[in-house]
Amino acid sequence: MHQRSTEELTAATGENLKKVEGRQLNPNQQEMVNQIKQFMEQSKTAVAAGDLERGHNLALKAHLLSDELVKP
């Protein structure tokens, strides 16, 4: 259950990051991008280590932040 939704969250987060690529970001937004990438990396590491719940939670955090980033 967690693995599939974790992958979907990661894909959706990646799409959101693509939307802001090439955009002029203010320092706050740039910090959000860095945080999102960090969460995604930590999520991947957790899933690889077999901690699917932690991986899912980190992917969810990354996704929520990325949603905030692409809001008009």
Side-chain angles (χ1 to χ4, degrees), residues 7-41:
E7 289 165 4
E8 289 168 2
L9 285 168
T10 302
T13 302
E15 288 301 310
N16 281 344
L17 285 177
K18 280 184 192 154
K19 289 177 190 171
V20 298
E21 245 175 46
R23 240 203 246 168
Q24 200 56 42
L25 301 178
N26 67 37
N28 266 356
Q29 292 168 320
Q30 190 54 57
E31 184 54 44
M32 281 173 82
V33 168
N34 294 341
Q35 187 68 65
I36 290 164
K37 289 179 178 175
Q38 210 172 11
F39 282 148
M40 288 175 73
E41 200 51 50

Side-chain angles (χ1 to χ4, degrees), residues 5 31 54:
S5 58
E31 184 54 44
R54 183 166 191 272

Side-chain angles (χ1 to χ4, degrees), residues 43-60:
S43 170
K44 200 161 72 174
T45 303
V47 169
D51 191 347
L52 299 184
E53 190 170 341
R54 183 166 191 272
H56 178 79
N57 289 338
L58 286 161
L60 184 59

Side-chain angles (χ1 to χ4, degrees), residues 59-72:
L60 184 59
K61 284 182 181 183
H63 183 64
L64 292 172
L65 263 183
S66 73
D67 273 351
E68 198 61 38
L69 192 61
V70 295
K71 272 187 187 168

